[in-house]
Amino acid sequence: MSLIELTAAQLRDGLAAGRFSAQEITQSLLERIERVDRSVGAFLRMSPDAALAQAAASDQRRAAGRCLSPLDGIPVALKDVLCTAGEPTTCSSRMLANFVPPYDATVVRKLREAGLVLLGKTNLDEFAMGNSTENAALGTTRNPWDARRVPGGSSGGSAAAVAARMVPWAIGTDTGGSIRQPAAFCGTVGLKPTYGRVSRFGVVAFASSLDQVGPLARTAADAALLLEVIAGPDPQDATSAPVAVEPYSRTVAEPLESLTLGVVREQFGAGLDAEVGAAVERAIGTFQALGGTIREVTLPHSGYGVATYYLIASCEASSNLARYDGAHFGYRTDEAAMGRAVADQQRQQGADAADDDGDSGLLRMYRQTRAEAFGPEVKRRIMLGTYALSAGYYEAYYLKALQVRRLIRQDFDAVFGQVDLLIGPTTPTAAYCAGEKLDDPLAMYQGDLYTATANLAGIAGLSLPCGFTRSGLPIGVQLLAPAFHESRLLRAAHHYQQRTDWHTRTPELS
Amino acid sequence: MNGTPYTTVIGLEVHVQLKTRTKLFCRCSTAFGAAPNTQTCPVCIGLPGSLPVMNRQAYVLALKTALALHCDIPACTKWDRKNYFYPDLPKGYQISQFDLPMSRDGYLDIGDPQGRFPDRRVRILRAHLEEDAGKSMHDEVAGRADSRIDLNRAGTPLLEIVTHPDLRSPEETKAYLTELKLLLSYIDVSDCNMQEGSLRVDANVNLHLPSPSGTIATPIVEIKNMNSFRAVERALAFEAARQYQVWQETGRKLGDVPKQTRGWDDQAQVTRAQRHKEESSDYRYFPDPDLVPVRVTPAEIDAARAALGELPAALRDRLVTTYALDRYDADVLVNQGRPLVDYFEQVAAQCQDPKRASNWIQQDVLRTLNERGIGIAEFAVAPPVLAELLRMVGSGTLDTMRGRQVLQQMVDTGSDLATAIAALGITEMSDEALVTLCRELLAANPKIVADVKNGKQQALGALIGQARKRNPNADPTRVRKVCAELIEEM
């Protein structure tokens, strides 16, 4: 069996048994990337030499009996929204195309400290805004199962890389479904941990109250392993929760207790693709076969989830992205050209025309910088958020959204009083074609229908493969758990994967 | 009203830099004067991905201040983002507090012992924490105008203390600022150095004019750029006069025009309209999702209140009641700061003569401190020594003039009391020597002797001066007594 086919757990065992070296693993993956990433486009940047050097160092540690962790030497890919010291971190935006952070995100530091090999940075929707990775300014990523289709997003590069066997696992971020949705589209496992479970320090912010870092992997067992590495409170993130990390890699294989799974009535209504619905129904049947009890529940306010999510996320984003103004770092418009344009304008319109009070050189620089370096979706959300926070609209939009957010949270609280987990579709449809929804943002936003409420409530969610459409596209089933019950989520997913083989299928790529 | 046909109405926003070792949301140093951009990190320069974590010490100092200002302290306060674009604001927003400030509804009492304005309770609307911005430096570099930003100050904790519009004159405003600064120094929460920017004052001012149909208010103007208390006083006086003139010319009332911001030009001694930084002042405040609410328990509040120590107002009252000082003296001592009051109390207790201690400290000690530009901690004469000196003066062992010389000698040489006395040649005259001296004086002044014999006792005074001239150690009281006795015997 080729090394690229092995899960992270298998790589761990093989490394421990001395069956292969970290360098061999990295070399195999680099060759795989070399061969298939031209058609997938998962990676924005990689540095084969640096990766091989890390692998060589890992092999030396192992030979000396000084492994940093059992995972020492296993490669991982990072969504290019996590800061890596001394290496570009672009968010797939022209704004940060040349930005090199001087520090590591806490998650990156933890990965390094565990000895993982940082293989490269993966593509995403610009600043993680999108669910198709089509809003990426610095690369194009396609679905490994069908190159005409999108990989989902915003962690589309990470999901595609894992699905295409270019890396055993990867790190993504999930603000409204950005781990789970691409995981479903690409046929991988994707876990959005509880808000506060994983540090956000060094993760370029999209919407601070919703963003969460999590693993994408082929199996729930691998996701458990990776979560164990990256989770935990962080003194550098005030919103990280002081809750002890569980030994997920051990608890994941524990026997499945008699679970009660809630099926949310609202999630099987209009808008759900029939094939997706059928696959999810079969998955529910599998959980019943595993001893689960199924109970129909209702989340009465979930219909407001998408609107609420887009208001809150856009409001926070409009503020979070204010720092990209050309003054301190990142892209700045060509000021010489700007000066010439102003001079031309003055010649045509008279001396004071371009330099009145409201249009100083500074404001012009801000405006031009942001106009040139942000993509249309980012601009759309900044405008939406700015509007919703403005005097006179704040109460009607932002404040109202906060109130609905509380109701959505209360819905989940009530439901989790009755059931252990919720089960339902991750996405309304399987992967759609590139360009299909680009001109219809609202249709695109509906893709977050089943995922965004978990972010609003701050609870944990996981998507795992549960079937394929007739045209061969993966389908994802979503499990949701109460806050800080990732172990329950992972265990249920693991036992499902023991019974099914959806996750073992590999897309044909050449 | 100083005879003006209007009342000046003033409210203040004072930004106080809190004396924390590190910044409000990162661990960078707050020390003043370092080379530009050397006290920065990813957090305070707003690099992507960086996150703020609150420095609890800033909250503790803010809490102390708010309690000293008699404010209510909510059990829970939160952080908000104030969004605007400016180059000295690297994140594009300032972390501040909007609708749930850490304190509100307090007051500070001011008064003037000389009675130039009535005692007044200035109500504090709120005091809230926020981070400072960086500093823009507009320089001529390589022959062209260039702007540079120093972010050392960005993220320094500020407490913004906002009053109601309760002040009625520039003098009252100065008194409020002086009292506030004194309070802050007593509780040791700020350096209050206006030059270094650790205390910044913005004033809102307008006029109330009486009219048959009720009071007319002129448009409110915010004044910035005042770099000293004196500048505040002058700017307000100028602005009041300017507004009255504008009102006479235009008749514009509050609400007729938008609020204007004017800057004080200290050179020209005028306020000038400032160009608005941003067209709208819609800061789109919303709760900062990177930070968690700050909670404080009643026990923590009680402990902070207990640790405040005696505040200036209470201290003045105590000096008046305990030492029978008058209000003016208590004011002078207390306004010099707690160390001087401590010095006074030690001297007063040890010499058993508070009034004399107060006088000597206000005149002789303070003069020396001012002349030498030192604080009481560096003053060469320790409280027990001054107390002993004052006891000698009080008992007549030393007369006041000799006492002053002795104090000056100790200040100049750092010597102890006995050495200073010896160095000045001060010894007690023996009875024989004194009698001999007096006989000589009487022999030389038959006219005085005659006057005294005729009942003019006060004529003896002239002899004392002569005695001192012949021997500086001659004690005036004894000279008077011996001379009177000798004349009696004649």
Side-chain angles (χ1 to χ4, degrees):
Chain A
M1 200 180 202
S2 159
L3 288 178
I4 63 164
E5 291 295 335
L6 299 184
T7 65
Q10 290 167 330
L11 292 172
R12 175 198 59 191
D13 296 343
L15 282 167
R19 284 199 294 276
F20 41 76
S21 68
Q23 290 173 85
E24 287 171 307
I25 299 170
T26 298
Q27 192 59 52
S28 304
L29 294 172
L30 289 172
E31 284 164 14
R32 172 72 176 173
I33 293 166
E34 177 69 27
R35 204 164 61 244
V36 305
D37 203 35
R38 265 169 310 171
S39 56
V40 178
F43 283 90
L44 275 177
R45 247 175 354 276
M46 29 188 318
S47 163
D49 293 345
L52 285 168
Q54 290 175 61
S58 169
D59 285 334
Q60 280 173 9
R61 286 193 296 268
R62 195 172 289 275
R66 283 203 295 270
C67 279
L68 296 171
S69 81
L71 306 179
D72 200 326
I74 301 178
V76 63
L78 303 171
K79 184 178 183 178
D80 202 22
V81 75
L82 289 104
C83 286
T84 42
E87 297 162 37
T89 299
T90 68
C91 300
S92 205
S93 176
R94 290 191 64 201
M95 189 62 89
L96 292 179
N98 298 310
F99 176 65
V100 178
Y103 66 102
D104 273 337
T106 298
V107 167
V108 174
R109 176 176 57 74
K110 288 184 168 197
L111 293 170
R112 288 194 208 272
E113 285 170 1
L116 277 84
V117 173
L118 305 186
L119 201 56
K121 304 292 271 299
T122 58
N123 198 14
L124 64 149
D125 286 297
E126 183 176 7
F127 285 103
M129 296 180 189
N131 49 26
S132 67
T133 312
E134 291 170 289
N135 298 325
L138 305 181
T140 303
T141 307
R142 289 299 165 85
N143 194 307
W145 296 90
D146 180 347
R148 291 167 308 170
R149 293 177 187 271
V150 300
S154 63
S155 309
S158 287
V162 173
R165 306 299 192 254
M166 291 188 266
V167 68
W169 53 18
I171 299 290
T173 62
D174 190 315
T175 305
S178 280
I179 289 174
R180 291 160 290 161
Q181 189 257 16
F185 277 18
C186 290
T188 74
V189 171
L191 170 66
K192 182 204 93 73
T194 308
Y195 185 78
R197 178 57 100 184
V198 181
S199 168
R200 294 187 297 113
F201 185 79
V203 180
V204 179
F206 158 21
S208 312
S209 77
L210 301 159
D211 294 344
Q212 189 57 200
V213 184
L216 291 112
R218 298 219 300 276
T219 66
D222 277 5
L225 272 174
L226 195 49
L227 179 63
E228 203 172 301
V229 175
I230 63 174
D234 179 4
Q236 290 184 285
D237 176 1
T239 64
S240 71
V243 179
V245 177
E246 292 176 58
Y248 304 111
S249 57
R250 205 180 70 227
T251 60
V252 73
E254 284 174 359
L256 200 59
E257 64 266 53
S258 57
L259 285 178
T260 305
L261 287 94
V263 175
V264 182
R265 189 185 303 137
E266 290 87 350
Q267 293 185 349
F268 290 83
L272 178 64
D273 175 81
E275 280 189 284
V276 173
V280 172
E281 295 286 2
R282 281 194 299 276
I284 292 170
T286 305
F287 275 104
Q288 271 178 307
L290 284 165
T293 309
I294 303 300
R295 200 158 154 183
E296 192 171 295
V297 296
T298 176
L299 295 169
H301 299 94
S302 56
Y304 301 107
V306 170
T308 305
Y309 165 75
Y310 276 94
L311 273 171
I312 291 174
S314 300
C315 287
E316 294 183 12
S318 72
S319 176
N320 281 333
L321 272 65
R323 70 189 65 195
Y324 308 111
D325 59 6
H328 297 275
F329 50 78
Y331 179 86
R332 181 187 295 179
T333 190
D334 180 343
E335 286 179 292
M338 189 180 88
R340 284 194 297 275
V342 172
D344 285 349
Q345 196 183 339
Q346 283 173 347
R347 263 195 302 280
Q348 286 164 20
Q349 301 178 0
D352 295 330
D355 200 31
D356 61 26
D357 212 4
D359 197 20
S360 64
L362 177 67
L363 284 183
R364 185 174 280 257
M365 186 280 280
Y366 284 159
R367 202 171 51 228
Q368 235 164 271
T369 294
R370 289 165 72 83
E372 289 164 5
F374 282 142
E377 182 61 25
V378 171
K379 286 177 187 164
R380 181 152 41 231
R381 297 197 194 187
I382 289 173
M383 286 190 283
L384 177 61
T386 304
Y387 179 84
L389 285 176
S390 297
Y393 300 100
Y394 180 91
E395 285 79 9
Y397 294 111
Y398 180 71
L399 206 59
K400 184 65 75 184
L402 288 189
Q403 288 162 348
V404 177
R405 182 178 192 173
R406 193 178 316 126
L407 294 174
I408 288 171
R409 231 181 234 150
Q410 287 168 357
D411 281 356
F412 279 111
D413 288 346
V415 160
F416 284 126
Q418 308 162 33
V419 301
D420 301 306
L421 294 172
L422 292 174
I423 185 166
T426 307
T427 56
T429 67
Y432 44 84
C433 285
E436 197 179 319
K437 299 190 181 181
L438 259 186
D439 296 328
D440 190 354
L442 289 181
M444 189 85 96
Y445 294 173
Q446 284 304 315
D448 299 327
L449 189 59
Y450 307 132
T451 47
T453 47
N455 301 79
L456 290 168
I459 60 173
L462 177 148
S463 178
L464 73 166
C466 71
F468 285 85
T469 62
R470 278 184 299 276
S471 51
L473 297 170
I475 296 169
V477 59
Q478 177 175 239
L479 299 175
L480 297 174
F484 302 107
H485 283 73
E486 285 84 357
S487 55
R488 186 188 292 168
L489 207 53
L490 288 162
R491 189 157 57 241
H494 175 70
H495 284 276
Y496 175 85
Q497 290 192 319
Q498 299 297 100
R499 280 259 180 148
T500 56
D501 65 353
W502 308 114
H503 61 288
T504 64
R505 302 200 189 172
T506 309
E508 279 176 38
L509 288 159
S510 52
Chain B
M1 285 245 281
N2 299 329
T4 56
Y6 54 79
T7 307
T8 311
V9 178
I10 301 160
L12 293 182
E13 291 169 18
V14 177
H15 285 85
V16 177
Q17 200 181 97
L18 297 173
K19 224 167 142 174
T20 52
R21 207 172 45 76
T22 57
K23 294 184 180 180
L24 185 49
F25 297 114
C26 65
R27 301 290 85 90
C28 289
S29 167
T30 53
F32 179 81
N37 297 308
T38 54
Q39 289 172 172
T40 59
C41 74
V43 176
C44 56
I45 66 174
L47 285 191
S50 65
L51 292 173
V53 176
M54 185 191 66
N55 177 357
R56 182 88 189 179
Q57 182 59 17
Y59 179 81
V60 169
L61 295 183
L63 179 63
K64 264 177 101 167
T65 312
L67 289 171
L69 291 168
H70 313 279
C71 288
D72 292 338
I73 312 293
C76 178
T77 182
K78 70 174 171 81
W79 300 100
D80 299 285
R81 291 185 184 177
K82 179 179 180 177
N83 295 285
Y84 64 95
F85 286 97
Y86 207 66
D88 63 14
L89 192 71
K91 297 190 295 297
Y93 59 83
Q94 178 192 31
I95 305 177
S96 180
Q97 300 198 282
F98 183 51
D99 54 339
L100 288 174
M102 56 82 50
S103 69
R104 60 196 337 157
D105 297 332
Y107 63 85
L108 181 64
D109 288 331
I110 57 168
D112 180 28
Q114 293 170 325
R116 285 166 301 189
F117 57 84
D119 285 355
R120 201 182 281 290
R121 173 156 292 184
V122 182
R123 292 168 302 153
I124 308 290
L125 182 66
R126 57 187 278 162
H128 70 257
L129 270 165
E130 62 187 27
E131 59 176 346
D132 206 346
K135 223 160 60 182
S136 301
M137 300 181 296
H138 304 290
D139 264 346
E140 298 287 321
V141 174
R144 67 192 184 95
D146 199 3
S147 294
R148 288 163 183 250
I149 313 289
D150 177 7
L151 294 176
N152 281 354
R153 208 177 68 181
T156 298
L158 297 178
L159 187 69
E160 181 175 338
I161 303 168
V162 184
T163 73
H164 283 273
D166 284 351
L167 295 156
R168 290 292 174 269
S169 70
E171 295 75 27
E172 285 183 30
T173 304
K174 190 181 174 200
Y176 168 82
L177 291 170
T178 307
E179 185 68 4
L180 179 65
K181 186 178 168 185
L182 185 70
L183 182 73
L184 297 172
S185 82
Y186 266 70
I187 60 177
D188 196 28
V189 295
S190 174
D191 292 328
C192 294
N193 186 328
M194 282 187 93
Q195 269 69 49
E196 292 180 5
S198 58
L199 192 138
R200 277 168 260 163
V201 182
D202 299 332
N204 284 292
V205 57
N206 72 340
L207 309 180
H208 284 183
L209 302 111
S211 89
S213 53
T215 303
I216 296 170
T218 60
I220 296 174
V221 169
E222 181 171 0
I223 314 178
K224 292 178 175 290
N225 265 353
M226 300 174 289
N227 292 319
S228 65
F229 289 178
R230 176 185 288 252
V232 172
E233 230 182 334
R234 290 183 175 171
L236 288 170
F238 173 88
E239 182 59 21
R242 189 194 68 83
Q243 286 188 22
Y244 187 60
Q245 194 186 340
V246 170
W247 183 79
Q248 285 179 312
E249 286 164 7
T250 66
R252 277 200 207 117
K253 299 190 292 289
L254 184 63
D256 291 348
V257 288
K259 182 174 155 179
Q260 194 188 26
T261 300
R262 300 179 69 86
W264 173 244
D265 181 338
D266 208 43
Q267 230 92 61
Q269 298 277 301
V270 295
T271 63
R272 296 185 200 281
Q274 284 188 333
R275 262 188 297 172
H276 6 263
K277 242 188 225 176
E278 208 186 359
E279 203 54 49
S280 88
S281 57
D282 183 357
Y283 292 118
R284 305 187 305 279
Y285 281 101
F286 77 107
D288 192 327
D290 286 332
L291 288 158
V292 289
V294 186
R295 287 170 206 289
V296 63
T297 63
E300 284 174 292
I301 295 174
D302 289 345
R305 204 192 312 270
L308 276 182
E310 209 171 5
L311 301 179
L315 190 52
R316 284 188 197 101
D317 290 346
R318 187 167 65 77
L319 294 189
V320 168
T321 52
T322 307
Y323 299 104
L325 299 185
D326 59 35
R327 171 75 201 254
Y328 180 88
D329 290 336
D331 214 54
V332 171
L333 291 173
V334 169
N335 291 0
Q336 294 298 321
R338 183 76 212 202
L340 190 92
V341 175
D342 290 340
Y343 186 92
F344 159 76
E345 292 207 79
Q346 289 177 53
V347 175
Q350 289 171 37
C351 78
Q352 299 286 316
D353 190 347
K355 183 68 191 164
R356 190 185 305 275
S358 162
N359 287 345
W360 276 65
I361 289 171
Q362 284 185 51
Q363 288 159 32
D364 302 85
V365 176
L366 281 185
R367 195 191 60 241
T368 303
L369 298 186
N370 290 337
E371 280 169 7
R372 307 193 169 209
I374 56 172
I376 191 68
E378 293 104 328
F379 187 61
V381 182
V385 179
L386 181 60
E388 177 61 28
L389 175 64
L390 295 187
R391 249 201 319 269
M392 292 171 79
V393 172
S395 68
T397 315
L398 279 177
D399 60 82
T400 301
M401 205 163 139
R402 288 302 254 168
R404 288 225 159 91
Q405 290 168 355
V406 171
L407 181 61
Q408 191 63 45
Q409 176 75 10
M410 289 193 289
V411 167
D412 289 343
T413 65
S415 60
D416 61 25
L417 187 56
T419 313
I421 289 171
L424 291 172
I426 301 175
T427 53
E428 213 174 335
M429 284 183 80
S430 65
D431 285 344
E432 299 85 69
L434 191 79
V435 170
T436 308
L437 175 69
C438 288
R439 284 189 201 285
E440 288 168 17
L441 285 175
L442 297 179
N445 293 285
K447 168 104 171 60
I448 293 177
V449 173
D451 286 348
V452 174
K453 276 192 173 295
N454 290 332
K456 281 180 75 180
Q457 286 293 317
Q458 61 270 38
L460 281 171
L463 294 175
I464 291 165
Q466 290 187 34
R468 300 275 292 199
K469 236 174 231 165
R470 291 172 184 232
N471 187 337
N473 290 323
D475 178 349
T477 318
R478 284 171 71 203
V479 170
R480 181 185 293 271
K481 186 162 167 276
V482 170
C483 285
E485 284 165 9
L486 288 173
I487 292 170
E488 195 86 346
E489 289 165 15
M490 283 162 95

